[in-house]
Amino acid sequence: DGGITQSPKYLFRKEGQNVTLSCEQNLNHDAMYWYRQDPGQGLRLIYYSQIVNDFQKGDIAEGYSVSREKKESFPLTVTSAQKNPTAFYLCASSWAGVPTDTQYFGPGTRLTVL
Amino acid sequence: QQPVQSPQAVILREGEDAVINCSSSKALYSVHWYRQKHGEAPVFLMILLKGGEQKGHDKISASFNEKKQQSSLYLTASQLSYSGTYFCGTEWDAGNMLTFGGGTRLMVKP
C-alpha cells in the first residue's frame, strides 16, 4: 500500500539533545513538507522540499534542519536551538507543480521534551 | 497571514447541519479543506480553485467566493463520524505553499 510513514509515534527527549524524526513516502511524490502543530492550533510549515537535494525554509524554520538525499525520505532534526520543541510533528507529501496538489499526511510524531 | 476560521467550535446533534467559514485578507488562488481526528493525521476533503466553484463530497460540500476571499464548508445531516477538527489551507498564488487556519472543532452528539 502506498503511503507516508513517520517514526517514532512518540518521542521523548531531554533538553539540550538533538533528535531526528523520520518521514518516508512510497507515493513517488516530488514534494515533501514538515509541519508543526501545537495543541488546539493549526499547522505551521517548518521546511519543504520540491526536489531531491533542495529544500526551503517555511514560516518557523529556526531550530530545525532537514535533508533530502532521496526522493522518498525527508528527515527532520530538532536541534537544541529550538526553544520550545514539544509539539505534534506532521510530514506530508504531494506532486509538485502548479496548482498546488493535494497534500497527503503521515500519522505524525508526538515529541515531548522532558 | 493565516486565514481565519469561524466558528472556532461547534456542537451538533446527529442530523443537524453546520457551516464552517475560512476567510483571507489576501486574494486566494485555492482553498484546501482537511479533517483531523484527535491525535491523527489530517485527511484531505477537497480543493477549490478560484472561480467561485462549488464542490460536493457525499453530504459535505464547499464553496469558494473569490470576491469575498472566503470559502465555506457545508456539512449536511451530520453523522457521528463527522466529529473532528476541520482546517482550511489557503494558497495565495499558484505554486505557493499552503497556509492553514487555526481549525474549527466539530463535535456531533447522538
Side-chain angles (χ1 to χ4, degrees), chain A residues 33 37 42 98-100 102-103 106, chain B residues 29 34 36 41 44 87 91 94 96:
Chain A
Y33 314 82
Q37 186 175 33
V98 177
T100 301
T102 304
Q103 292 188 21
Chain B
Y29 180 80
Y34 289 82
Q36 183 181 32
F44 169 76
F87 291 99
E91 182 185 17
N96 280 7

Side-chain angles (χ1 to χ4, degrees), chain B residues 26-100:
Chain B
K26 296 173 66 171
L28 295 173
Y29 180 80
S30 72
V31 180
H32 304 223
W33 285 99
Y34 289 82
R35 176 172 60 211
Q36 183 181 32
K37 303 279 187 179
H38 183 69
E40 299 180 7
V43 173
F44 169 76
L45 294 175
M46 63 189 79
I47 293 176
L48 298 101
L49 300 179
K50 70 176 183 178
E53 67 175 292
Q54 183 151 355
K55 277 195 173 182
H57 190 292
D58 195 10
K59 292 179 181 173
I60 300 176
S61 62
S63 63
F64 182 11
N65 190 319
E66 188 182 343
K67 194 172 180 180
K68 290 185 178 179
Q69 297 170 183
Q70 176 178 305
S71 178
S72 296
L73 187 72
Y74 306 95
L75 297 102
T76 307
S78 59
Q79 306 167 15
L80 295 176
S81 62
Y82 286 4
S83 293
T85 300
Y86 289 78
F87 291 99
C88 66
T90 55
E91 182 185 17
W92 293 317
D93 200 0
N96 280 7
M97 292 301 109
L98 290 182
T99 302
F100 286 89

Side-chain angles (χ1 to χ4, degrees), chain B residues 5-23:
Chain B
Q5 289 187 233
S6 62
Q8 287 187 313
V10 58
I11 300 174
L12 301 173
R13 293 285 181 190
E14 258 187 305
E16 292 182 339
D17 302 340
V19 180
I20 299 171
N21 298 306
C22 175
S23 297

Side-chain angles (χ1 to χ4, degrees), chain A residues 20-81:
Chain A
T20 298
L21 282 58
S22 169
C23 177
E24 305 275 334
Q25 55 98 1
N26 61 3
L27 300 167
N28 201 32
H29 283 166
D30 303 298
M32 297 186 74
Y33 314 82
W34 274 106
Y35 292 93
R36 170 182 172 139
Q37 186 175 33
D38 293 287
Q41 296 190 29
L43 309 173
R44 293 185 290 169
L45 183 64
I46 305 173
Y47 268 99
Y48 64 97
S49 168
Q50 294 187 310
I51 194 170
V52 174
N53 291 322
D54 187 50
F55 46 83
Q56 307 295 329
K57 291 182 179 180
D59 299 321
I60 56 165
E62 186 175 348
Y64 300 98
S65 66
V66 293
S67 63
R68 186 88 186 275
E69 296 176 1
K70 297 186 296 183
K71 187 175 183 178
E72 58 271 22
S73 178
F74 192 40
L76 173 75
T77 297
V78 184
T79 75
S80 56

